[in-house]
Amino acid sequence: MDLYEEATFLYHYYERNTGPLINLSELDIDDAEKILKKLQKENNTFAAKRPENYLIIRRELEQKIRELFIKKGGEPKKGFPHYFILGECAWVKEWFQNGMEVKIPIKSFNSKSISFTYGDSIPAMRFQDGKPYRGQVYTLEEISKIIKLYGFPQEWNKDGKYGPERYIEVQVWDDEPLNLCK
């Protein structure tokens, strides 16, 4: 499976009032905490239900994912990624009060600037149930092989009934292909 050849798209879902590609990890920890607390207080979205230590866990995992990606030949241009989903997952819009999406062809990205986890990175990197794709970071070539083996989680596990993997997360480590979205 060649994801470049199959006209595959990356999707970024976001709250209309906030705008796309707002990244808590790029903010000072105190500012990020204030924003997260405001989300938790003001609305009942998915983001509002994150645990108290969410930002600490997220930043630690982002560093680990970045290091693993570099070991595999990745060339991240950023310290923290933007998050996308490989393939459409329209139900993710329901996680927001007024969900929107950005859709970008995967061909727009240099393969050395995007990494993948089979599932959302937090459970993919932390959940231990013996599945071979847990704790793994994949390159474009590697995720193509994983998809051949297991398929797209958003197709076989949309509701999360079969585990925490509900989509393939893409970590985008370069702002340049995203500049038109901002």
Side-chain angles (χ1 to χ4, degrees):
M1 168 181 286
D2 184 340
L3 295 172
Y4 274 168
E5 294 299 317
E6 295 193 20
T8 304
F9 288 88
L10 305 186
Y11 291 79
H12 172 75
Y13 298 96
Y14 63 96
E15 177 61 47
R16 176 188 294 250
N17 296 334
T18 307
L21 305 169
I22 304 299
N23 192 330
L24 289 175
S25 295
E26 292 181 331
L27 300 175
D28 169 87
I29 189 72
D30 292 330
D31 291 339
E33 287 287 352
K34 287 177 190 172
I35 290 171
L36 188 58
K37 286 187 186 334
K38 183 179 178 189
L39 282 172
Q40 291 169 332
K41 184 178 179 182
E42 293 179 359
N43 62 52
N44 193 27
T45 63
F46 179 78
K49 297 178 177 118
R50 292 183 171 141
E52 186 72 27
N53 60 348
Y54 168 75
L55 288 173
I56 293 167
I57 293 168
R58 176 174 164 160
R59 287 178 181 213
E60 287 173 358
L61 287 176
E62 286 171 334
Q63 188 61 37
K64 181 178 181 179
I65 290 168
R66 189 175 193 277
E67 290 169 6
L68 291 170
F69 185 47
I70 289 169
K71 285 181 182 176
K72 291 185 171 204
E75 299 173 0
K77 294 182 179 177
K78 299 171 53 69
F80 302 98
H82 287 292
Y83 295 97
F84 281 74
I85 293 175
L86 181 62
E88 187 174 17
C89 233
W91 50 266
V92 172
K93 286 188 210 176
E94 297 169 14
W95 292 356
F96 303 94
Q97 288 181 334
N98 194 356
M100 304 295 293
E101 72 182 40
V102 170
K103 176 181 171 183
I104 304 174
I106 197 168
K107 290 179 183 182
S108 300
F109 298 90
N110 178 324
S111 64
K112 292 194 178 287
S113 70
I114 53 176
S115 59
F116 303 82
T117 51
Y118 195 78
D120 183 278
S121 57
I122 291 180
M125 298 302 288
R126 296 181 79 215
F127 196 74
Q128 297 301 313
D129 60 1
K131 291 183 180 175
Y133 45 78
R134 297 279 188 248
Q136 303 293 318
V137 175
Y138 297 103
T139 63
L140 178 66
E141 183 179 320
E142 291 171 331
I143 199 65
S144 296
K145 293 174 184 174
I146 294 298
I147 293 167
K148 280 183 187 176
L149 287 172
Y150 302 106
F152 283 87
Q154 58 261 48
E155 293 174 2
W156 60 265
N157 196 28
K158 180 179 173 179
D159 59 3
K161 187 183 341 182
Y162 302 109
E165 59 278 84
R166 297 181 66 192
Y167 50 80
I168 295 170
E169 183 181 279
V170 185
Q171 299 87 35
V172 175
W173 300 95
D174 184 3
D175 281 333
E176 189 174 326
L178 306 175
N179 286 334
L180 295 175
C181 303
K182 293 183 177 183

